[in-house]
Amino acid sequence: MHAAAVAVAGGERIALDEALSRVLAEDLRAPITVPGFDNSAMDGYAFRAEDARDRRELPISLRVAAGDPLGQLSAGTACRIFTGAPVPVGADTVVIQERCERRGDILVLPEQWTAHANIRRAGEDIRAGDMILRGGQRLTPQAVGLAASCGFAEVVVRRRLRVVVLSTGDELRTAGSGPLNHGQIYDSNRPMLRALLARLGCETRSAGPLGDDLTTTRQALRAAAETADVIVTTGGVSVGEEDHVKGALEAEGTLALWRVAIKPGKPLAFGHIGEAHFLGLPGNPVSAFVTFLLFVGPFLKALMGEAPTPLRAFPVRAAFGRAKPDNRREFVRARLTTRADGTLWAEAYPHQSSGVLSSTVWADGLVDIAAGRTVAEGDDVPFLPFEGLAS
Ligand SMILES: Nc1nc2c(c(=O)[nH]1)N[C@H]1C(S)=C(S)[C@@H](COP(=O)(O)OP(=O)(O)OC[C@H]3O[C@@H](n4cnc5c(N)ncnc54)[C@H](O)[C@@H]3O)O[C@H]1N2
Ligand code: MOO
Ligand SMILES: [Mg+2]
């Protein structure tokens, strides 16, 4: 039995260097202050500003490098110091070496220098007790670094979602299984979806393409629901009698949603089979890709307890037109170009059919055109970059 509640329960303690892209299961508070000591921001000389008020020369009595223990600077003298080295007791100013002169063991200061400059204070980055990362946050490389800077070698992350990916269609062959006969195509949706899921840190299992047959589809869904938190299928959710996914879902589980008024991506089935969530994506590769970005990704993130990232569109100029309004909200695959005047334009891929997967490799993202809207060349349109959507 597995729990597929809204946010999957439970977390696992793993090594920090295995945790990239995983979702934190709990808040992380800093057990220490970072940096833990005042240190020099520059290679130069440290001294007490008071001692150099009315003199430019100070004898050099100490040398402190990064990693050395805390030193004690005798009054009226200077210390040779290096970036990251602990500022000795008795010093409160550092001047960079490029501005100083050294004559034997005598430091010659420049005319002008600033008291208390070039020192990185203890706690400038983090103070002990600060919340440094939150439960629900997906670990980026910089977040891994921040946790390490506070001494964490392990973190508790949400367990990986178990997702079963099933593609359907008599015409499908798995790449590498041999040459295609007429009328066959290689299954591109399954590898693409597994890659999208892997990027979200999911554990995916997938069977070979299912034939267009209600019984096999029902059996496959039932079997998948035994182990999966989420089942994702592609194909067979439209209206033809060869489309069995919707029927299989209605027979084996509950169908909660079907069809959304978007293009591409209109036929989308959502529901449950036992404890498993179910998403039935359209077979057209671009539709499968776009519905994953818009629906599956955000849903899986919510299941992982990850804080939702809002769809962040930014305005660009349309380098194309849409004279005839569509009754569906359209997501146009487009590439960004900056013109000589510095303005950002979205160029539409010439073929916007939802079977042309190459458009998604060529494009940087999607121009989001509201249902019923016409677009003239130069109009401001909202642009959704792929990388903000799928990671
Ligand atoms: N009379 C109507 N026909 C269709 C409608 C409609 O409203 N009325 N909707 C169209 C739209 S929109 C879409 S999207 C597709 C989705 O149909 P299905 O989800 O049933 O997908 P399939 O029919 O199984 O396949 C569609 C297309 O995609 C190819 N495909 C399928 N799976 C894969 C895969 N794993 N890798 C690569 N390519 C795949 C398949 O060969 C078909 O060409 O329905 C329209 N029809
Ligand atoms: O939903 Mo479809 O994707 O417009 O082809
Ligand atoms: Mg179909």
Side-chain angles (χ1 to χ4, degrees):
M1 188 62 168
H2 53 273
V6 169
V8 289
E12 53 198 33
R13 181 174 292 281
I14 63 171
L16 180 63
D17 54 14
E18 303 290 317
L20 179 63
S21 292
R22 298 295 294 274
V23 178
L24 274 180
E26 55 193 28
D27 295 348
L28 232 54
R29 279 190 188 283
I32 60 169
T33 290
V34 179
F37 53 93
D38 290 357
N39 65 88
S40 176
M42 293 288 174
D43 298 331
Y45 295 88
F47 54 93
R48 199 159 65 98
E50 212 32 56
D51 294 350
R53 277 267 172 263
D54 48 12
R55 54 195 281 206
R56 289 189 50 195
E57 297 190 358
L58 291 170
I60 297 165
S61 66
L62 189 64
R63 182 183 195 279
V64 178
D68 282 352
L70 179 62
Q72 179 80 34
L73 183 67
S74 336
T77 70
C79 161
R80 178 71 169 115
I81 194 163
F82 299 90
T83 304
V87 174
V89 176
D92 60 13
T93 299
V94 172
V95 176
I96 63 171
Q97 63 187 45
E98 295 90 323
R99 301 194 53 230
C100 299
E101 234 185 283
R102 179 170 182 160
R103 286 196 207 117
D105 281 344
I106 299 297
L107 165 66
V108 181
L109 286 167
E111 290 280 342
Q112 307 284 327
W113 46 269
T114 313
H116 310 306
N118 298 316
I119 293 181
R120 293 184 298 208
R121 296 288 168 206
E124 194 176 84
D125 188 352
I126 295 160
R127 307 202 70 79
D130 281 359
M131 173 93 73
I132 57 165
L133 295 170
R134 283 206 167 280
Q137 201 170 340
R138 184 178 291 277
L139 285 174
T140 58
Q142 56 270 40
V144 168
L146 189 66
S149 77
C150 293
F152 288 100
E154 293 181 333
V155 284
V156 180
V157 294
R158 289 207 177 274
R159 69 165 176 76
R160 290 183 185 283
L161 273 184
R162 295 183 293 257
V163 183
V164 169
V165 182
L166 297 170
S167 51
T168 68
D170 288 335
E171 73 280 24
L172 301 181
R173 286 293 167 274
T174 304
S177 63
L180 298 175
N181 301 323
H182 188 271
Q184 292 177 335
I185 58 169
Y186 286 119
D187 178 352
S188 58
N189 291 352
R190 201 157 39 101
M192 176 176 69
L193 290 175
R194 293 194 70 178
L196 283 162
L197 289 161
R199 199 153 59 173
L200 288 178
C202 298
E203 193 183 292
T204 63
R205 261 186 338 94
S206 87
L210 299 179
D212 290 320
D213 164 80
L214 183 59
T215 316
T216 36
T217 307
R218 287 184 57 174
Q219 273 162 355
L221 295 190
R222 243 193 336 269
E226 286 309 306
T227 56
D229 296 309
V230 184
I231 301 166
V232 177
T233 65
T234 77
V237 283
S238 188
V239 292
E241 62 266 22
E242 288 295 340
D243 295 333
H244 299 291
V245 168
K246 185 166 154 279
L249 172 61
E250 284 173 320
E252 297 297 334
T254 52
L255 172 69
L257 163 86
W258 184 51
R259 285 179 179 287
V260 279
I262 61 171
K263 174 181 177 188
K266 176 175 64 178
L268 171 85
F270 178 73
H272 291 87
I273 298 177
E275 289 273 290
H277 299 281
F278 175 87
L279 287 130
L281 308 187
N284 286 330
V286 181
S287 315
F289 180 63
V290 171
T291 48
F292 185 95
L293 297 186
L294 298 178
F295 298 95
V296 183
F299 178 67
L300 294 178
K301 289 181 168 196
L303 277 185
M304 282 186 262
E306 185 180 352
T309 29
L311 278 189
R312 280 197 193 110
F314 54 84
V316 297
R317 301 277 188 82
F320 60 92
R322 275 292 180 278
K324 198 166 101 12
D326 198 303
N327 62 359
R328 289 191 275 167
R329 181 176 174 183
E330 186 183 3
F331 292 95
V332 175
R333 278 86 75 207
R335 175 181 278 186
L336 293 181
T337 50
T338 307
R339 294 211 172 154
D341 61 1
T343 50
L344 206 51
W345 291 70
E347 224 182 296
Y349 192 74
H351 311 292
Q352 289 291 322
S353 140
S354 53
V356 178
L357 189 57
S358 53
S359 65
T360 63
V361 174
W362 176 87
D364 300 313
L366 303 169
V367 171
D368 178 358
I369 301 175
R373 180 182 173 186
T374 56
V375 172
E377 176 115 9
D379 280 358
D380 268 353
V381 286
F383 183 79
L384 290 162
F386 283 144
E387 75 273 351
L389 288 168
S391 50

